[in-house]
């Protein structure tokens, strides 16, 4: 569609500029000499007519291409480094990776790191990346999979399976237990690996273990990742792990470190679509504020549903504020626990899918008029204290996110947003105390 | 334009008309573009996945829901089936699919009732079966699976849509598909297939590794026969796309003929066991991906000049006895497959193909004896 729109508009230009006068030229003589004068005037008007028409055509094309959901600006996709700077070790790629594809139009492969790749979220995530769900169906990828030494065999098994699946977009797989090798040259890093909470563990214990993991990964990323590497932290406590990563990798721009709250965002969309019995693609602009924990605040005050009569606010269609302020919020907050109860395992499928959505919208841009939830470094918007990784509504363009400003916040929302900010501040203090 | 004595110069009129025609033709693009904006969405296709609470089901569900299997413009409704003991896990899979907010997924229906699950399905992926446990006799596994697939055959026959396409994944895949075919006579036999695409992809990847080329430039490997250790991965007609055109693999690996006839074959045959050893679990990721590829190519067609391997009902091609579900090289077009005819079969290949056919005939006899047919 995007390649057709310029030619369609130029064809409008042709049509207007040439066809109409030509048609007049054929028809007018039939009306006799009386209109000959007008015909001559029309012919003389050709050149001046052409220019404004072409200008209009170009303007209309720019406008329509920004509206079209298919035409996303890919110019800001991170570019893969095809050779390492001298002081970095030459990384052997364990799968024959031929960068010089036969197709001259093929893009440079992007390197994607997945930590904790031998686990179940990793197992669900890597085929999605290899199929082009995360970065687009025309973007080749090289997967870097990192995990801890006890999981080395299982990691190798995953690598074998990726090779067996003969994915055309997968140009190479690096499976390693060495953080340096894993991080070298990566353009996108999805940090799924972390220390999960076990029965009887104190919050402080989980925090200590995760803090030390993310501190060391921060150093590895900072030293070896490609410039402008985009980082997504999935492992819980996601917001605080991302904060630790940011604190110990000061040369990674803080706008490049985010945490996953898209899962909760998608869950909220799913709940609304179930409630209203509408397709989930018609629901948009829910917001998840705050911490990816049970204190998160799913906000539908700005959410809309596409109906046959245009976009309507969700509150208007659901007509049940009690539900939206009560059960809906608790369902979304506790969905993770509900899935664990039913599966006896945490939600890998939806987490992996949401991680793909998060990165894809970040890199390729959000559709016009839609915003999504991302856990990003707070700049003080909406009176959320700066210096926390807090989930905000964002739009993405040209590979950058920006917080949607100016949304009215009512009292109930204010309270909930402050509550989750409090919890994040406590987690931050706890994490820092674990480090010292 | 010259007006000569009040009369119109006709050649000039013709010229101008041609220009007008050209502009109308160019404007056709405008009309087409506007029609695209008004495009009507396709009707959702119903896809049944049995054994959906298991590992392969968990891996395949998001690939289907993302449009990887049926195309980015094809919405679908998923029917998930599993046995009663797995009903909680099944419910959780349904919850997760809802939580992922897939735009193409227009509904999820999770049930433990086979009849309900088969209602109106257009595509059925039969992953659920009885897995072989330690110390089980072959006969036992066969008889349990034969019973399961006989029941599923009647449900599919009665409730699935007329054009339902069936892919059997659960092992023994070929024989399970055969049982399904025998007990669902009203389902056209060309709509019942079994998965050998996994072995095909593995063979393709193995050759790509050996030749150090991207996997997508190797094509036209064939996997003949049974999806078991008697499968025969055949590289005799495989080619590699290079800058100078398609080169046969045999030429490129002329010094490695021994490897092609020995290690290559055994590596592909035993890859499943290798992965089981490394992961302590069987290969769900690659099996799900292969199932997705199988249906995708069947539904949307194979690329020009490429063929793929599918386990299909034999029609006697290549000397394989009819009445077996045997893996052949096929091309797919407009929703149906056709066996690639006229390929040269050398003596070595002939022997291997016949071995596999013999094993399939034995399995068939065993299955029938279990069912007392």
């Amino acid at each position: 569609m995007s390649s057709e729109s310029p030619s369609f508009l130029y064809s409008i230009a042709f049509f207007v500029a040439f066809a109409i006068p030509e048609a007049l030229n054929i028809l007018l003589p039939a009306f006799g000499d009386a209109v000959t004068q007008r015909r001559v005037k029309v012919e003389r008007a050709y050149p001046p007519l052409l220019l404004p028409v072409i200008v209009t055509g170009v303007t209309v094309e720019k406008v329509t291409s920004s509206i079209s959901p298919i035409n996303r600006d890919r110019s800001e996709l991170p570019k893969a480094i095809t050779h390492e700077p001298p002081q970095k070790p030459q990384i052997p790629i364990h799968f024959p990776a031929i960068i010089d594809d036969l197709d001259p139009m093929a893009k440079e492969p992007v390197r994607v790191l997945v930590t904790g790749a031998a686990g179940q979220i990793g197992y669900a995530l890597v085929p999605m990346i290899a199929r082009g769900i995360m970065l687009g169906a025309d973007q080749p990828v090289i997967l870097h999979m990192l995990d801890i030494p006890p999981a080395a065999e299982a990691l190798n098994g995953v690598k074998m399976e990726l090779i067996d699946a003969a994915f055309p977009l997968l140009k190479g797989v690096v499976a390693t237990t060495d953080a340096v090798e894993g991080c070298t040259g990566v353009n996108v890093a999805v940090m799924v690996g972390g220390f999960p909470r076990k029965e009887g563990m104190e919050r402080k214990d989980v925090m200590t273990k995760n803090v030390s993991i993310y501190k060391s990964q921060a150093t590895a990323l900072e030293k070896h990742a490609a410039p402008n590497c985009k980082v997504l932290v999935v492992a819980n406590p996601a917001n605080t792990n991302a904060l630790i990563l940011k604190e110990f990798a000061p040369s990674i721009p803080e706008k490049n470190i985010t945490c996953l709250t898209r899962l909760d965002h998608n869950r909220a969309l799913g709940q609304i679509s179930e409630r209203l019995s509408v397709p989930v693609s018609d629901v948009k602009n829910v917001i998840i504020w705050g911490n990816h924990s049970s204190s998160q605040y799913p906000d539908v005050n700005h959410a809309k549903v596409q109906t046959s009569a245009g976009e309507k606010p969700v509150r208007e269609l659901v007509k049940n504020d009690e539900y939206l302020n009560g059960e809906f919020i608790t369902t979304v907050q506790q969905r993770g626990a509900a899935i664990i109860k039913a599966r006896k395992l945490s939600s890998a499928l939806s987490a992996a899918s949401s991680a793909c959505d998060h990165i894809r919208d970040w890199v390729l841009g959000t559709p016009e008029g839609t915003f999504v939830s991302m856990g990003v470094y707070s700049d003080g918007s909406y009176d959320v204290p700066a210096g926390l990784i807090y989930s905000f509504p964002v739009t993405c363009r040209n590979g950058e996110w920006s917080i949607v400003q100016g949304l009215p916040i009512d009292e109930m929302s204010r309270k909930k947003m402050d509550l989750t900010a409090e919890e994040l501040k406590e987690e931050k203090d706890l994490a820092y105390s674990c480090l010292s | 334009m010259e007006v000569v004595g009040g009369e119109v110069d006709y050649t000039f009129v013709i010229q101008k008309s041609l220009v007008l025609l050209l502009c109308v033709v160019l404007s056709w693009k405008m009309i087409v573009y506007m029609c695209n904006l008004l495009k009507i969405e396709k009707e959702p296709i119903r896809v049944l996945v049995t054994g959906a609470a298991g590992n392969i089901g968990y891996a395949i569900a998001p690939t289907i829901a993302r449009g990887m299997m049926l195309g980015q413009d094809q919405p679908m409704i998923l029917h998930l089936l599993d046995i009663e003991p797995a009903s909680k896990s099944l419910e959780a899979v349904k919850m997760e699919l809802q939580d992922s907010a897939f735009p193409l997924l227009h509904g999820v229906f999770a049930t433990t009732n086979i009849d309900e699950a088969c209602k109106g399905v257009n595509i059925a992926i039969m992953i659920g079966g009885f897995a072989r446990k330690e110390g089980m006799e072959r006969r036992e596994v066969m008889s349990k699976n034969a019973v399961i697939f006989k029941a599923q055959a009647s449900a599919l026959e009665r409730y699935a849509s007329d054009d339902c396409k069936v892919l059997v994944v659960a092992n023994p895949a070929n024989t399970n598909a055969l049982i399904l075919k025998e007990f669902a006579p009203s389902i056209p036999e060309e709509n019942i297939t079994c998965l050998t695409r996994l072995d095909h992809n593995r063979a393709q990847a193995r050759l790509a590794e050996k030749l150090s080329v991207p996997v997508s430039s190797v094509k036209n490997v064939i996997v003949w026969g049974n999806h078991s250790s008697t499968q025969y991965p055949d590289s005799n007609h495989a080619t590699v796309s290079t800058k100078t055109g398609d080169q046969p693999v045999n030429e490129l690996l002329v010094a490695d003929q021994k490897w092609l006839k020995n290690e290559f074959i055994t590596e592909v045959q035993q890859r499943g066991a290798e992965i089981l050893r490394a992961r302590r679990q069987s290969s769900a990721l690659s099996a799900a991906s292969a199932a997705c590829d199988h249906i995708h190519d069947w539904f949307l067609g194979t690329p020009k000049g490429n063929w793929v391997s599918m386990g299909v009902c034999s029609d006697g091609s290549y000397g394989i006895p009819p009445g077996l579900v045997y893996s052949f090289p096929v091309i797919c077009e407009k929703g149906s497959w056709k066996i690639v005819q006229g390929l040269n079969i050398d003596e070595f290949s002939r022997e291997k193909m016949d071995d596999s056919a013999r094993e399939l005939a034995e399995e068939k006899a065993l299955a029938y004896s279990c069912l007392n047919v």
Side-chain angles (χ1 to χ4, degrees):
Chain A
M1 196 70 76
S2 56
S3 59
E4 277 181 42
S5 52
S7 59
F8 123 69
L9 285 148
Y10 291 132
S11 66
I12 290 187
F14 269 118
F15 188 85
V16 171
F18 290 110
I20 294 174
E22 295 295 354
L24 287 175
N25 267 332
I26 297 173
L27 293 172
L28 282 179
F31 292 112
D33 275 332
V35 289
T36 314
Q37 298 300 321
R38 279 183 217 149
R39 190 233 327 128
V40 170
K41 281 193 192 134
V42 167
E43 270 202 20
R44 287 210 195 106
Y46 269 30
L49 193 64
L50 206 47
L51 189 60
V53 166
I54 298 226
V55 166
T56 323
V58 170
T59 327
V60 173
E61 178 222 324
K62 287 263 181 288
V63 167
T64 55
S65 68
S66 69
I67 287 177
S68 162
I70 304 156
N71 193 350
R72 289 187 179 168
D73 189 352
R74 290 167 196 256
S75 59
E76 273 308 307
L77 258 183
K79 300 199 174 26
I81 288 188
T82 51
H83 70 273
E84 319 300 337
Q87 63 267 33
K88 291 185 187 163
Q90 194 63 27
I91 297 307
I93 299 193
H94 305 284
F95 176 85
I98 307 301
I99 311 294
D100 52 305
D101 222 72
L102 291 172
D103 180 3
M105 302 290 286
K107 297 181 176 179
E108 282 290 306
V110 169
R111 286 179 190 264
V112 181
L113 165 66
V114 178
T115 68
Q120 55 148 6
I121 299 183
Y123 198 61
L125 183 59
V126 294
M128 292 184 188
I129 299 175
R131 274 217 184 255
I133 294 176
M134 182 185 264
L135 295 170
D138 57 349
Q139 177 60 62
V141 295
I142 295 176
L143 265 175
H144 286 220
M145 301 199 298
L146 177 67
D147 215 313
I148 52 177
E153 272 239 60
L155 192 65
N156 200 34
V158 180
K159 178 179 156 190
M160 288 198 282
E161 285 217 68
L162 282 172
I163 294 172
D164 285 353
F167 293 117
L169 287 174
L170 189 60
K171 300 297 179 198
V173 183
V174 175
T176 178
T177 52
D178 174 15
V180 169
E181 199 185 335
C183 292
T184 301
V186 296
N187 308 103
V188 177
V190 184
M191 324 293 277
V192 179
F195 203 92
R197 187 187 197 136
K198 296 199 171 54
E199 289 263 11
M201 269 183 95
E202 282 285 334
R203 229 175 128 214
K204 196 171 163 72
D205 299 327
V206 188
M207 190 66 83
T208 319
K209 289 219 160 12
N210 275 305
V211 159
S212 62
I213 292 174
Y214 277 85
K215 185 168 169 218
S216 63
Q217 293 194 328
T219 334
L221 268 179
E222 191 183 27
K223 284 214 215 90
H224 304 278
N228 208 28
C229 173
K230 290 175 160 52
V231 182
L232 166 62
V233 177
V234 177
N236 278 321
N239 302 56
T240 308
N241 285 340
L243 194 65
I244 302 292
L245 202 70
K246 179 205 151 296
E247 294 294 316
F248 288 97
S251 68
I252 298 184
E254 59 192 35
K255 62 185 169 62
N256 279 352
I257 298 183
T258 62
C259 82
L260 187 71
T261 50
R262 183 59 176 271
L263 178 52
D264 311 292
H265 177 104
N266 285 348
R267 283 172 174 162
L269 289 176
Q271 289 300 309
I272 298 287
S273 89
E274 282 287 305
R275 179 84 180 186
L276 294 172
S277 300
V278 294
V280 81
S281 47
D282 288 346
V283 186
K284 61 180 196 176
N285 294 357
V286 295
I287 305 171
I288 303 290
W289 298 99
N291 195 4
H292 176 62
S293 72
S294 54
S295 74
Q296 67 184 252
Y297 170 46
D299 177 0
V300 294
N301 291 319
H302 311 279
K304 296 201 175 22
V305 180
Q306 186 71 34
T307 63
S308 45
E311 282 184 1
K312 295 265 162 89
V314 163
R315 276 201 188 269
E316 203 184 292
L317 291 173
V318 172
K319 293 200 243 294
N320 190 340
D321 280 350
E322 207 196 299
Y323 164 76
L324 286 175
N325 296 340
E327 198 189 318
F328 166 73
I329 293 180
T330 49
T331 305
V332 175
Q333 285 172 343
Q334 290 163 8
R335 188 70 155 182
I339 305 246
I340 292 183
K341 205 157 149 237
R343 280 195 81 221
K344 310 282 187 306
L345 288 168
S346 66
S347 45
L349 191 162
S350 40
S353 182
S354 313
C356 282
D357 289 339
H358 176 118
I359 299 277
R360 193 197 58 241
D361 285 350
W362 190 359
V363 169
L364 298 176
T366 46
E368 191 74 24
T370 304
F371 45 84
V372 295
S373 306
M374 278 171 66
V376 296
Y377 194 68
S378 168
D379 60 354
S381 304
Y382 297 101
D383 289 329
V384 170
L388 296 176
I389 302 266
Y390 192 93
S391 178
F392 285 100
V394 301
T395 52
C396 302
R397 218 179 118 77
N398 295 339
E400 307 273 331
W401 54 264
S402 46
I403 297 178
V404 175
Q405 299 292 351
L407 296 172
I409 305 292
D410 64 15
E411 225 189 279
M412 191 200 84
S413 304
R414 183 79 256 160
K415 279 211 214 67
K416 291 204 182 283
M417 285 163 69
D418 290 338
L419 205 66
T420 180
E422 265 304 307
E423 190 189 56
L424 275 172
K425 190 137 190 331
E426 277 171 28
E427 283 192 13
K428 176 179 179 176
D429 294 335
L430 180 61
Y432 279 8
S433 76
C434 293
L435 284 168
S436 53
Chain B
M1 191 164 90
E2 298 300 310
V3 176
V4 179
E7 265 190 27
V8 179
D9 185 349
Y10 278 105
T11 53
F12 217 78
V13 171
I14 290 168
Q15 254 179 30
K16 296 289 180 182
S17 311
L18 284 175
V19 174
L20 185 60
L21 201 63
L22 179 70
C23 298
V24 167
V25 164
L26 287 175
S27 320
W28 180 250
K29 284 188 177 239
M30 163 176 39
I31 298 166
V32 165
Y33 183 70
M34 297 212 278
C35 284
N36 272 334
L37 291 176
L38 302 165
K39 194 151 62 170
I40 322 267
E41 219 183 55
K42 293 185 178 176
E43 279 291 305
I45 284 190
R46 287 179 188 268
V47 181
L48 165 66
V49 178
T50 71
N55 286 334
I56 301 183
Y58 198 64
I60 207 179
T63 26
I64 301 175
R66 282 257 179 209
M68 298 282 126
M69 191 168 90
L70 299 169
Q72 291 295 319
D73 58 348
Q74 177 61 64
M76 83 285 301
I77 295 174
L78 271 177
H79 289 215
L80 304 175
L81 174 72
D82 215 311
I83 53 177
E84 190 54 49
S87 62
K88 282 203 95 175
S89 295
L90 192 65
E91 198 51 44
V93 177
K94 176 179 169 180
M95 282 160 69
E96 285 216 65
L97 286 170
Q98 286 167 349
D99 285 351
S100 304
F102 294 118
L104 289 172
L105 187 60
H106 283 200
V108 183
F109 178 52
T111 178
T112 50
N113 179 332
I114 177 82
D115 294 337
E116 288 291 315
C118 289
K119 283 215 169 84
V121 297
N122 307 100
I123 295 184
I125 305 177
M126 325 294 274
I127 302 175
F130 203 91
R132 184 183 201 142
K133 296 198 174 52
E134 289 264 8
M136 267 184 99
E137 281 286 335
R138 225 176 132 218
R139 200 191 160 76
E140 256 186 275
V141 188
M142 186 69 79
S143 94
K144 285 210 167 359
N145 276 304
V147 164
I148 293 174
F149 277 85
K150 183 165 172 226
Q152 293 185 335
S154 354
L156 272 178
E157 193 180 23
R158 264 182 291 151
Y159 298 105
S161 92
D162 292 329
D163 60 348
C164 181
K165 290 175 163 49
V166 182
L167 166 63
V168 176
V169 177
N171 276 321
N174 302 54
T175 309
N176 286 339
L178 192 67
I179 304 285
L180 204 69
K181 170 182 149 312
E182 294 294 316
F183 290 96
S186 68
I187 299 183
E189 63 178 39
E190 64 261 18
N191 280 353
I192 298 182
T193 62
C194 82
L195 187 71
T196 50
R197 184 59 177 271
L198 179 52
D199 311 295
H200 174 104
N201 286 349
R202 283 172 175 162
Q204 194 178 338
R206 203 67 201 86
L207 284 175
E209 260 186 315
K210 183 80 176 175
L211 291 164
S212 298
V213 294
V215 119
S216 47
S217 57
V218 177
K219 48 184 205 178
N220 294 352
V221 291
I222 307 171
V223 174
W224 298 98
N226 194 4
H227 177 62
S228 72
S229 55
T230 64
Q231 65 182 250
Y232 170 47
D234 180 357
S235 56
N236 291 315
H237 306 93
T239 58
V240 178
S241 312
T242 62
K243 291 193 174 68
T244 51
D246 286 344
Q247 281 200 287
V249 166
N250 269 341
E251 268 175 38
L252 292 168
L253 288 176
V254 73
D256 283 296
Q257 287 300 316
K258 191 164 162 295
W259 179 83
L260 278 176
K261 286 186 163 38
N262 291 295
E263 282 94 350
F264 168 65
I265 296 177
T266 47
E267 275 167 27
V268 174
Q269 284 171 347
Q270 290 164 9
R271 185 66 155 182
E274 208 188 324
I275 296 197
L276 186 60
R277 260 198 311 274
R279 286 197 72 229
R280 312 270 167 68
Q281 280 180 317
S282 66
S283 45
L285 191 163
S286 40
S289 181
C292 185
D293 291 340
H294 176 117
I295 300 276
H296 177 274
D297 288 347
W298 190 0
F299 205 70
L300 297 171
T302 44
K304 215 150 174 57
N306 275 31
W307 62 66
V308 294
S309 305
M310 279 170 65
V312 296
C313 291
S314 167
D315 58 356
S317 305
Y318 297 102
I320 305 300
L324 295 177
V325 175
Y326 193 93
S327 178
F328 285 101
V330 301
I331 49 175
C332 301
E333 210 183 5
K334 299 200 180 69
S336 47
W337 54 264
K338 244 193 347 239
I339 297 179
V340 175
Q341 300 292 352
L343 296 173
N344 258 340
I345 306 294
D346 61 16
E347 233 185 87
F348 178 76
S349 306
R350 183 80 254 162
E351 219 189 291
K352 294 249 172 228
M353 285 162 68
D354 290 337
D355 274 341
S356 204
R358 255 194 302 278
E359 190 191 41
L360 277 171
E362 277 171 27
E363 283 192 11
K364 175 177 179 177
L366 181 61
Y368 279 13
S369 76
C370 294
L371 290 167
N372 296 318
V373 168

